[in-house]
Amino acid sequence: MEIYEYIDTREEYSLISRDTPLISNLNMIENIALIKEVHERLSIEKAENIAKEYLEKIGISDIGLNRLNECNSLEIFYVMFIRALMSKEMNVIIVTPFSLISNLRDIQPIIDSIEILNEGKNILIFDNITNKSHYEGSSCPIVK
């Protein structure tokens, strides 16, 4: 079964993939906060404070005011992940992280950050079977 065919069978999920980019004319905090502002009608100030707290949890609060072109692929991935956590959806699906993050050799530090950020959502990683060895013993299961 193709990844997107499987995803289509899932209900209520936030997707992190090349098909779900950040908004280039917003900074990283605004990209994250937008979800809470629109879907929960949270004030800009409250939503941005939540976004800052999440960035601080993994030590990247310094990128908060950066635009997309000022961040590296790992920082962009983390912002995409935090943005997905802001939704009410209980499932977060990450599609081929090795294609989203440049020069990714070891996914364990990213899994560790995902665990720090996650507060009870189901995280599913879809990747190529050739990358299966990178997920051995991980708390985020790989689905081929």
Side-chain angles (χ1 to χ4, degrees):
M1 178 182 297
E2 287 288 319
I3 289 172
Y4 289 103
E5 289 175 14
Y6 177 83
I7 290 172
D8 287 341
T9 67
R10 304 291 294 189
E11 293 181 26
E12 301 181 9
Y13 63 86
S14 292
L15 183 67
I16 300 170
S17 74
R18 290 202 174 277
D19 297 331
T20 57
L22 298 175
I23 301 171
S24 62
N25 64 335
L26 297 180
N27 66 39
M28 298 301 104
I29 290 173
E30 292 167 334
N31 262 289
I32 295 167
L34 187 62
I35 302 300
K36 293 279 189 191
E37 293 168 25
V38 172
H39 295 285
E40 295 180 29
R41 301 181 197 262
L42 225 55
S43 71
I44 292 170
E45 183 180 358
K46 286 181 182 176
E48 288 185 357
N49 284 336
I50 292 169
K52 289 174 192 173
E53 288 173 15
Y54 273 84
L55 292 172
E56 288 170 0
K57 284 182 179 184
I58 56 171
I60 60 170
S61 59
D62 58 313
I63 70 161
L65 298 178
N66 291 359
R67 302 262 187 230
L68 196 57
N69 64 340
E70 299 171 302
C71 294
N72 64 43
S73 62
L74 181 58
E75 294 166 337
I76 291 168
F77 172 80
Y78 284 135
V79 170
M80 292 171 76
F81 182 72
I82 295 168
R83 181 183 63 176
L85 292 177
M86 294 298 103
S87 75
K88 290 184 176 185
E89 311 305 342
M90 284 307 298
N91 298 299
V92 175
I93 298 174
I94 304 168
V95 178
T96 56
F98 281 84
S99 71
L100 296 171
I101 304 167
S102 303
N103 302 318
L104 180 59
R105 290 188 178 92
D106 182 12
I107 198 161
Q108 192 55 50
I110 295 166
I111 300 293
D112 294 344
S113 292
I114 285 172
E115 289 175 352
I116 290 167
L117 292 167
N118 187 23
E119 297 176 349
K121 298 211 178 197
N122 302 313
I123 312 297
L124 297 168
I125 297 175
F126 290 86
D127 209 334
N128 300 320
I129 196 66
T130 55
N131 289 326
K132 183 178 181 179
S133 64
H134 296 287
Y135 300 96
E136 297 298 325
S138 171
S139 62
C140 297
I142 180 174
V143 178
K144 62 178 183 172

